[in-house]
Amino acid sequence: MPEPAATVFVVDDDASVRAALAALIRSAGLKVETFASAREFLARAPAGVPSCLVLDLRLPGLSGLDLQSRMGELNLEIPIVFITGHGDIPSSVRAMKAGAVEFLTKPFLDGDLLDAIAQAIERDRAARLRQTEMGELTARYASLTPREREVMERVVSGLLNKQVAAELGTSVVTVKVHRGQVMHKMRAGSLADLVRMAEKLGIRRDDKA
């Protein structure tokens, strides 16, 4: 399926600035939605496509930094590009420490903004891909039986089939069957694949077993 078009959100209380930014962003082939305030933006449903937020620092009501903090509280993980005509070092440091992609002071070059937007969208696209992959991996692990999980934990820790069988009080043949099921359900092409999956899932052998 084709990847959905990325969307850029713009929050700025100046209507002329919103219009100019929207025209620039559309010229780069991107979808754009504009908002006059932070609260107006927060009222919008979360985006289901790769996106980023071009955010003015000074806004009526919730400021740009306030909105950034609020988005963190809401787990609204959209990369932010700050723009401002009143830049100062403490604000830029705070914004970047909180994860902003860029902090641009007006007047800035169109190319600088478009570069920052491209970087932000790519960051969001990568994050969404990792989230999707992690969700699929978690679902595969959830499909394992309790015994298959016990076998997986021991296999990825480096134990041989006979060692796993001894620990679990079963036969080597039974362990091989469970191991095969684990490889199949987890869609692992090799032991190395399975080990990497276990690392991503944070699976470690239960030393008390």
Side-chain angles (χ1 to χ4, degrees):
M1 290 184 63
E3 184 177 32
T7 299
V8 180
F9 303 109
V10 175
V11 180
D12 196 300
D13 61 323
D14 188 320
S16 63
V17 172
R18 290 199 304 275
L21 290 175
L24 173 64
I25 293 165
R26 289 193 184 99
S27 74
L30 297 166
K31 285 184 60 179
V32 61
E33 296 182 26
T34 63
F35 306 87
S37 70
R39 294 194 182 282
E40 187 179 323
F41 169 73
L42 286 173
R44 186 201 183 282
V49 297
S51 58
C52 79
L53 172 60
V54 176
L55 178 61
D56 191 20
L57 184 66
R58 292 193 177 183
L59 294 168
L62 283 177
S63 71
L65 290 175
D66 290 337
L67 176 57
Q68 184 183 36
S69 297
R70 183 66 179 139
M71 289 170 65
E73 294 169 0
L74 296 171
N75 292 320
L76 190 57
E77 298 178 355
I78 299 176
I80 298 174
V81 175
F82 275 99
I83 57 174
T84 181
H86 311 277
D88 61 79
I89 293 176
S91 295
S92 62
V93 169
R94 177 180 165 188
M96 299 303 283
K97 279 188 173 180
V101 173
E102 187 58 273
F103 193 99
L104 299 174
T105 303
K106 302 172 185 176
F108 46 77
L109 298 175
D110 290 352
D112 288 343
L113 177 59
L114 292 177
D115 286 347
I117 287 173
Q119 180 184 345
I121 288 174
E122 185 54 39
R123 179 187 293 187
D124 193 45
R125 183 176 282 115
R128 287 172 180 274
L129 179 60
R130 287 193 300 271
Q131 187 177 40
T132 298
E133 291 175 344
M134 194 63 195
E136 292 174 352
L137 201 55
T138 300
R140 292 176 205 166
Y141 183 68
S143 74
L144 301 182
T145 65
R147 179 44 62 95
E148 287 167 353
R149 292 181 190 179
E150 290 176 336
V151 169
M152 178 175 170
E153 289 169 8
R154 287 159 175 78
V155 167
V156 298
S157 74
L159 295 186
L160 301 174
N161 288 341
K162 62 182 180 180
Q163 293 172 312
V164 176
E167 282 201 3
L168 297 180
T170 188
S171 69
V172 172
V173 172
T174 299
V175 169
K176 286 182 178 178
V177 171
H178 287 312
R179 181 169 176 163
Q181 283 295 99
V182 168
M183 298 293 286
H184 173 69
K185 290 183 179 179
M186 294 300 295
R187 300 180 193 172
S190 65
L191 177 58
D193 284 344
L194 193 65
V195 170
R196 283 191 289 271
M197 291 175 183
E199 289 174 349
K200 289 180 180 179
L201 290 165
I203 296 170
R204 288 174 176 78
R205 182 183 169 198
D206 184 355
D207 292 331
K208 295 181 293 183

